[in-house]
Every structure is written in C-alpha cells, then in structure tokens.
Amino acid sequence: LTESGGVKIVKTIHHGMTRSIAFKSLPTTHYPLATLKRTAKTWIKIAESTSNHLRILGYSIDVSGKYVFLTIRCDTDEAMGMNMVTIAAQAVADWAEKNIDGLTCVTIAGNLDSDKKPSIRTHKYGRGYEVVAEVTLPEAVIASVLKTNAKAMLAVADAKLKTGSKLAGAIGANMHAANVVAALYLATGQDGAHVVEGSLADTTVKRAKDGLTVRVRLPAILVGVRGGGTTLPAQSQCLSLLLKSKTGLHPKQQLAEAITAAVLAGEVSLLAAQAGHQLAKAHKSLAR
C-alpha cells in the first residue's frame, strides 16, 4: 500500500452506538408511535441525563404487529459505550412505561440493533463507525510485490467476491476481513464479539488505468479508546502506537480508520495469494 501511494480514506460516518428497546403496544386511543415521536425531546433528555458522556444522535421506530421497537443511536465520547447506551435505554423504557398509555417494555435489547449479530440492517445502514478506504495498485507493484498480475486478481474477485458470495447469500462480500478486525480488536482492548459486525465488510476490485483499484467498506466498526480492555498494559501500548495527536480527528475515528486500512492491506494480500495460487503453499510452509 505504501509503495502504491498509500491508503485513501474515501468516507467516514459516525453512526453511533445503538440499542433497540422492544415495547408491547396495547390498543389505546393514543397510538404509541405518534406519542414516542411527540415526546422525543423529553425521553432524549432522560437518556442523556444518565451519563455526562452520552448524547443522542438520532432514533428510529419500527412497528411489527403488537410490538414497537425504539432504536436509539448514541455518541458515547471516547468509550465504545455499549453499557452506557444500555443504561440510557433502560431509563427511556422506564419513563415510557409510566408516561405513554398502552406501552409496556418487553426488553431493552430487542435485537433490531443486532449487537454482536450479523444483519442486513447493520450491513446497509451501519453501526458505530462506517469507513470506506481504497488504494490504487500499479501493475508494476502487483508484479514485484504481490507476484501476480491485475488480470488474475480481477478473476479471483469476480469468482469469489461477486459470484461465490452471492450464491452463499453472504451479508458482506470480502476476502477475510474478520481476521484483521479480530487481531486489532484484541490488540487494542476492544470487545472481541464485535468482530461479527466487523466481518460485514464489502471489498470491490476494479480496473485502473495502470493496475487495480481495491476498495473496502466496513459498515460497523465498534471501538473505544477509554474503559474496558483498553486500560490493560499491552492494549494501552498498542493504542498509543496507533493514535496520533494533533490530527483533528476524534481518537475513535482514528482507530476505526486505522483498522479499515489494515483490513484493506489484508484483502489485497489474500487476493494476490489466491490469484497466484500461493495460498495452500503458504499454509503448508508457514502453517498459517
């Protein structure tokens, strides 16, 4: 990537940490959907009062039969914030039960947020940080460093990423994004179970003027730089190596973009290995 001019961060979106509250709705004169919207300022204030570090970025409401799902999206400052958002969701649920007729809280974790689970919704709309990164690989670098050629890499991308993933019904078409996400999550003290969302990546490969452009989209990078495993000595040291001061970026955004760049490198590496038919040979000789 360095020899190809470096990684270009195409887009970064902070969707925030989410939690979905499931309510049971009873037939009443005051329809809960409209009431939840009308009272939003009040329950948002209730949620934000639970922590000095939590801010509501937005919310969505889904109705299915007798159930109403309220999903809140939160800025949790430097923490990953799952616990913080769960506490806020409980406060909202308690308030809603007392103040909205016909609404009963079933659970504050109704699975619409798909925490630690793959879902089409997370893949499409994102969670935590969504980052898109790309690199343009010159044919000369492909030949000298990756030991293959653009045509062969395109053929693997077409068979594996497009056709194979489609036939499998995959949510996210990538080479092996989970490997890199898992490694960096563990190294920097993140919640390892969120590799599930991290694996929902899409990798696309296109012809460039002189080589290939490889792009990755990670819709759900869930990271924090404060609290939890980030305080462990080795993990804290890894974070200090990755995070730079005076960049103008939030530390969590820096980490999310660094992880995406690393995933891009891993995608290029495996794509080239498969194009050059070196994967099995590498496993045999290196045992990895």
Side-chain angles (χ1 to χ4, degrees):
L1 300 187
T2 300
E3 291 192 22
S4 299
V7 176
K8 176 184 178 183
I9 300 297
V10 178
K11 177 175 68 175
T12 301
I13 301 172
H14 182 211
H15 295 292
M17 181 53 71
T18 59
R19 185 52 101 190
S20 296
I21 310 165
F23 295 101
K24 184 177 180 181
S25 173
L26 299 177
T28 62
T29 54
H30 301 289
Y31 191 55
L33 177 62
T35 308
L36 276 171
K37 290 181 177 179
R38 180 173 53 81
T39 59
K41 288 185 178 180
T42 300
W43 57 255
I44 285 174
K45 187 176 181 180
I46 295 292
E48 293 181 340
S49 70
T50 62
S51 172
N52 293 328
H53 301 282
L54 183 139
R55 182 170 61 89
I56 301 292
L57 297 173
Y59 70 92
S60 61
I61 301 173
D62 293 83
V63 180
S64 181
K66 61 186 177 182
Y67 296 113
V68 177
F69 293 85
L70 171 62
T71 302
I72 56 175
R73 297 188 297 107
C74 306
D75 181 345
T76 53
D77 201 1
E78 293 190 350
M80 182 270 282
M82 193 70 255
N83 293 344
M84 195 188 302
V85 177
T86 299
I87 292 168
Q90 185 67 65
V92 172
D94 292 344
W95 179 88
E97 277 196 318
K98 293 178 182 178
N99 293 278
I100 301 179
D101 292 337
L103 211 58
T104 304
C105 177
V106 179
T107 175
I108 58 167
N111 259 10
L112 210 64
D113 50 55
S114 305
D115 186 52
K116 303 179 179 71
K117 304 166 192 72
S119 75
I120 293 172
R121 180 168 292 208
T122 298
H123 178 255
K124 183 176 181 180
Y125 296 110
R127 188 171 190 241
Y129 278 92
E130 175 183 351
V131 184
V132 179
E134 71 175 26
V135 64
T136 298
L137 304 167
E139 191 74 68
V141 173
I142 294 173
S144 64
V145 179
L146 300 175
K147 312 302 181 186
T148 185
N149 59 75
K151 183 179 179 181
M153 290 175 71
L154 275 171
V156 172
D158 186 62
K160 182 184 179 82
L161 298 175
K162 292 182 180 180
T163 307
S165 294
K166 183 178 180 180
L167 288 172
I171 307 176
N174 61 80
M175 302 296 296
H176 67 152
N179 273 333
V180 178
V181 173
L184 283 171
Y185 274 15
L186 293 175
T188 59
Q190 310 305 316
D191 187 333
H194 282 139
V195 173
V196 174
E197 290 98 328
S199 71
L200 301 177
D202 288 303
T203 300
T204 55
V205 185
K206 294 182 178 180
R207 261 291 188 188
K209 185 177 180 180
D210 175 36
L212 295 174
T213 296
V214 183
R215 173 178 288 198
V216 296
R217 170 185 177 261
L218 272 68
I221 305 178
L222 307 174
V223 292
V225 297
R226 189 176 299 275
T230 66
T231 60
L232 296 171
Q235 281 70 15
S236 178
Q237 185 179 26
C238 285
L239 281 171
S240 69
L241 290 171
L242 285 172
L243 302 179
K244 307 299 179 184
S245 59
K246 300 180 181 178
T247 65
L249 298 179
H250 191 284
K252 287 202 305 188
Q253 181 176 336
Q254 281 191 61
L255 182 56
E257 292 183 358
I259 290 171
T260 304
V263 168
L264 177 59
E267 296 294 276
V268 167
S269 179
L270 183 54
L271 180 62
Q274 291 190 225
H277 303 294
Q278 298 295 313
L279 183 60
K281 181 181 178 181
H283 284 330
K284 186 175 180 179
S285 63
L286 301 174
R288 60 186 174 91

